[in-house]
Amino acid sequence: MSVQTDILSNGLTVVTEAMPQLESASLGFWVGAGTRHETEAENGIAHFMEHMAFKGTTRRSALQIAEAIEDVGGYLNAYTSRDTTAYYSRVLSGDVPLALDVLGDILLHPTLVEAEIEIERGVILQEIGQALDTPDDIIFDWLQEVAYPNQPMGRSILGSDNQVRAFQRNDLAGFIGHHYSPDRMVLAAAGAVDHDSIVRQAEAMFAHTSSLPAPNVLPAVFSGGERREIKDLEQAHLSLCLPAPNYKADDFFAAQVFALALGGGMSSRLFQELRERRGLCYSIMASASAGDDNGLITIYAGTSETDVANLARVTMDEIRRAADDLTQAEIDRARVQLKAGMLMGLEGASARAERLARSTSIWGRVLPLSETVAKIDAVDRAAVRNFAMELLSKPMAGALYGPVGGAPSIAELSAQLAA
């Protein structure tokens, strides 16, 4: 396997990883235009644009876009995050030029027909409604909003009903014009690919484009607080988060190891104490996520109305206990889980392409796997304990949904954690 990178004259980065043993390839464009790049009035427009990209170009109708890929047995999809909008495809090796042509077409030549905008507006409103009806989905949007209030990082990816209803063609075209710049795109491909061929095709497709001034992106500032929505549901949903390191921080991997040991699997502290010993929930998890300038340690559990208060308080006790006395065996197990999860997850071309794009966007290069493994192996008990002890005094954010009237406040839980 070999990684190759080229940066075109207009700033578009092309990065590939050849996997000769495969018969297929995954490729896509990762565009630095997500929720955090929107103004308050634009909230939801990055996701709306993701939908509209598939609704027709100057060369293909929506049906022709779908048929072009599905006629060769491939698939085409996209997603929007707070940092990125990604458009990607997987096809057999001989169809890579076709997939790249289709992907470039939907990025460079969307027609944004008014009738299609209205149809897709209805689809997105249904998507918002579905999210609101799914407690263990919507609660994480609320948690993000409480953690980062009144700033782009805290806003919903889908946007609100009112905003989605208000977007017009000029709004979508303006967002593309301001943010879909080649210097903010990474074209990543992995599998049965030829780097030089992809570079030549990308140069031809994007020859007429030029880079734009860098956008003003507001930093993510963790605040903390609480959102509690009492509703007659079967379960009480509890989500909590604390600030954690960003990707580039020295203690990034210490945070990852701590989160895994705390609540990353069936052997973790939270699962063993709250599920196995006390029976307070069916499942509970902790995870560490990160971005360019922010990170979160997130805990989520679903439980009964009668158990939610006890579960919340015991969770605080377990965080405090883990910060003080995680054993070497627990840290070793978490490190192995982290490495194994990363390496097993990269056995497919799609995951490889995603890694190429994310690594290039964050660090400006693709980190060798050996370098990442070495950083994980370097995490020792002292590093984990130092991170965890500092965590205890950090502000906390929480979102609670369902029959949660009897749960302690986030201020009470935060005080318990810091005591």
Side-chain angles (χ1 to χ4, degrees):
M1 300 180 188
S2 59
V3 174
Q4 292 179 268
T5 303
D6 271 282
I7 300 177
L8 307 189
S9 58
N10 58 12
L12 174 65
T13 298
V14 181
V15 55
T16 68
E17 183 170 6
M19 304 168 72
Q21 76 278 18
L22 299 186
E23 297 293 334
S24 65
S26 291
L27 65 156
F29 288 88
W30 278 257
V31 186
T35 307
R36 72 176 310 177
H37 301 95
E38 302 166 340
T39 65
E40 186 172 3
E42 291 176 330
N43 182 216
I45 202 167
H47 174 256
F48 204 132
M49 186 55 230
E50 174 216 316
H51 279 240
M52 289 305 304
F54 296 93
K55 302 302 287 184
T57 72
T58 55
R59 294 171 51 204
R60 294 178 175 96
S61 67
L63 178 58
Q64 287 171 330
I65 290 170
E67 287 179 339
I69 298 299
E70 293 183 1
D71 281 354
V72 297
Y75 72 80
L76 186 67
N77 211 334
Y79 69 81
T80 306
S81 72
R82 289 182 168 83
D83 295 304
T84 306
T85 305
Y87 303 87
Y88 56 93
S89 178
R90 187 168 187 184
V91 291
L92 296 176
S93 58
D95 299 313
V96 167
L98 169 66
L100 182 51
D101 183 69
V102 171
L103 289 165
D105 192 22
I106 65 177
L107 284 176
L108 294 170
H109 310 118
T111 50
L112 304 177
V113 175
E114 296 282 1
E116 295 289 355
I117 291 174
E118 292 308 314
I119 291 171
E120 211 58 28
R121 191 192 312 278
V123 172
I124 295 169
L125 290 171
Q126 292 179 45
E127 188 177 358
I128 292 171
Q130 184 177 28
L132 291 170
D133 285 344
T134 311
D136 51 356
D137 280 349
I138 194 62
I139 197 168
F140 289 107
D141 271 353
W142 294 346
L143 185 65
Q144 190 83 12
E145 180 184 349
V146 171
Y148 301 105
N150 303 313
Q151 52 188 296
M153 185 55 73
R155 295 176 192 142
S156 164
I157 292 171
L158 300 181
S160 70
D161 277 27
N162 289 339
Q163 286 166 309
V164 169
R165 293 182 194 279
F167 292 141
Q168 301 301 315
R169 186 184 188 281
N170 287 343
D171 300 317
L172 294 163
F175 188 79
I176 297 171
H178 283 108
H179 296 286
Y180 277 51
S181 174
D183 58 309
R184 294 178 220 153
M185 296 183 185
V186 175
L187 166 54
V193 297
D194 180 83
H195 178 81
D196 292 338
S197 296
I198 290 175
V199 169
R200 286 193 297 270
Q201 187 176 351
E203 283 180 323
M205 291 169 60
F206 285 82
H208 66 286
T209 65
S210 57
S211 60
L212 299 171
N216 179 28
V217 180
L218 294 177
V221 181
F222 187 97
S223 177
E226 175 181 319
R227 177 167 179 173
R228 184 183 303 239
E229 299 285 340
I230 298 175
K231 189 173 182 179
D232 184 18
L233 300 176
E234 181 66 27
Q235 279 215 311
H237 298 267
L238 172 71
S239 62
L240 310 167
C241 68
L242 294 152
N246 63 49
Y247 279 121
K248 299 179 181 179
D250 292 338
D251 53 352
F252 168 74
F253 286 108
Q256 296 285 317
V257 169
F258 177 74
L260 277 170
L262 178 66
M266 292 173 64
S267 62
S268 66
R269 289 285 183 100
L270 290 177
F271 191 92
Q272 284 295 309
E273 186 64 29
L274 282 92
R275 155 70 188 263
E276 297 294 273
R277 296 193 182 99
R278 296 176 183 252
L280 293 176
C281 58
Y282 174 71
S283 65
I284 186 166
M285 54 77 67
S287 62
S289 60
D292 289 340
D293 62 351
N294 69 304
L296 293 174
I297 297 286
T298 302
I299 297 166
Y300 167 80
T303 188
S304 67
E305 179 178 8
T306 55
D307 287 330
V308 63
N310 196 21
L311 180 142
R313 294 190 179 97
V314 174
T315 296
M316 296 303 102
D317 290 339
E318 288 304 302
I319 297 173
R320 285 189 56 83
R321 191 168 69 86
D324 183 56
D325 68 359
L326 275 181
T327 66
Q328 189 63 51
E330 288 175 298
I331 290 170
D332 291 344
R333 185 186 305 121
R335 286 190 311 207
V336 170
Q337 286 179 307
L338 188 57
K339 288 187 292 185
M342 176 186 70
L343 296 173
M344 287 191 288
L346 291 175
E347 291 184 345
S350 297
R352 289 271 174 170
E354 176 89 25
R355 175 179 176 270
L356 296 177
R358 288 173 63 83
S359 184
T360 302
S361 298
I362 296 164
W363 289 284
R365 65 187 180 97
V366 179
L367 296 184
L369 286 173
S370 58
E371 182 177 332
T372 303
V373 168
K375 289 181 178 181
I376 295 171
D377 286 338
V379 175
D380 57 20
R381 190 179 178 190
V384 174
R385 190 176 190 278
N386 288 342
F387 163 75
M389 293 304 290
E390 290 180 6
L391 192 68
L392 302 182
S393 60
K394 297 287 180 67
M396 183 187 297
L400 302 91
Y401 189 33
V404 292
S409 69
I410 296 303
E412 290 175 300
L413 295 177
S414 187
Q416 180 184 345
L417 197 62

